[in-house]
Amino acid sequence: SFYVTAGKERRMISPLKVSSIAVISPCTLTSAAVLLAVEHKIPIIFFDHSGEPDAQVWSTRFGNLAELRRAQVLFALTEDAPLWATEVFRLKTAGQQANLVWMLGKTHLEKVKKQLQQASEAIKPLADKLDEKGKEVSPYTALTNTEAIIARHYWPAWGAAAPTGFTFSARSRRPAQDAYNAALNYLYGMLYNAVESAVLAAGMDPMFGLVHADEFGAPTLVFDLIEPFRPFIDRHLMEMLNDGILDARHFESYQGGIGASRDGRKILISSFND
């Protein structure tokens, strides 16, 4: 078992009840605890203050790496690769559209309802043309350009529907300029690690993606695969705010912007895992 101590608190926790270990502040990990996590395929993830993953400890046993990685390269050269990328964006866009419709039923402000409706109507024709974009000469560029246009409709409407104190007009990162983006960045950081862990567990090369441009040290396959799951996080955070689980007390100034406080990070981590 894991033996966890914090001040006077002592706990014994079975590894069978642990899916991941998130380190958000300085602590001591014994080699026995690390090896126990590795044995049970439990990732140990180290987060910075803004929720970005700094490091991850994982098993080196990922199955037949050579065969799978060779298959990834060969797949990227086929005509099916752009079709796969198109489906990734279609799933993400469908999730965003579902969020806008869901929010229409939640808000009572006519101005916000109108903005949500306009965003949904603007996104629909763009989503309908994703198949065409995936068949162009430069399909990945065409898809990402369309995604950027969709985002310019989605985020202002979504941000306007947030509860008082959490409204925003655009996405902001490193650092976040408002509390909503601070919380969203943290949750996206955890989602990133969940997707990366799944990629590694499947034995695939996280550095070999299709849509996102190759970059030294960047797990572009993770960047690709995370996209369809982002709308789930968007709605989850909005539900937390509507239910009062997070409020202004859970955020603080950080590096010229806003970040989640220690208590805020604990809430975000437990809610994500739930």
Side-chain angles (χ1 to χ4, degrees), residues 3 15 63 89 162 267 270:
Y3 181 58
F89 283 112
I267 292 172
S270 62

Side-chain angles (χ1 to χ4, degrees), residues 182-195:
L184 189 63
N185 292 344
Y186 206 93
L187 289 170
Y188 277 175
M190 297 195 69
L191 176 64
Y192 169 96
N193 272 284
V195 173

Side-chain angles (χ1 to χ4, degrees), residues 19 39 49-51 58 70 79 84 93-94 97 116 121 131 136 142 189 192 206 237 255 259:
S19 59
E39 178 186 349
H49 190 280
S50 63
W58 190 263
R70 189 179 299 112
E79 295 180 354
W84 177 86
T93 304
Q97 288 177 299
L116 289 167
E121 291 173 356
D131 282 337
E136 293 188 6
Y192 169 96
L237 175 55
Q255 293 185 349

Side-chain angles (χ1 to χ4, degrees), residues 25 73 149 234 245:
S25 57
V73 175
I149 297 172
D234 302 345
I245 297 173

Side-chain angles (χ1 to χ4, degrees), residues 43 56 58-59 61-65 68-69 72 84 191-209 218-227 229:
Q56 178 172 335
W58 190 263
S59 172
R61 303 181 185 92
F62 298 124
N64 195 337
L65 289 178
L68 281 168
R69 290 180 175 179
Q72 282 182 253
W84 177 86
L191 176 64
Y192 169 96
N193 272 284
V195 173
E196 184 176 39
S197 295
V199 169
L200 292 172
M204 294 187 291
D205 187 344
M207 303 292 179
F208 196 86
T220 53
L221 179 59
V222 178
F223 297 162
D224 291 353
L225 286 170
I226 197 175
E227 296 297 344
F229 299 99

Side-chain angles (χ1 to χ4, degrees), residues 49-50 176 178 182 250-254 257-261 265:
H49 190 280
S50 63
D178 55 78
H250 298 121
F251 298 89
E252 59 192 12
S253 298
Y254 176 69
I258 302 294
S261 66
R265 297 197 298 274

Side-chain angles (χ1 to χ4, degrees), residues 17 34 114 121 155 157 160:
K17 296 182 178 180
V34 172
K114 183 178 180 181
E121 291 173 356
W155 286 115

Side-chain angles (χ1 to χ4, degrees), residues 100 103-105 107-122 153-154 156-158 160-161:
L100 295 173
M103 185 56 76
L104 269 169
T107 184
H108 301 291
L109 300 175
E110 289 302 321
K111 181 180 179 181
V112 174
K113 281 190 174 184
K114 183 178 180 181
Q115 194 169 354
L116 289 167
Q117 188 65 47
Q118 289 175 340
S120 182
E121 291 173 356
H153 292 292
Y154 175 74
W158 188 250

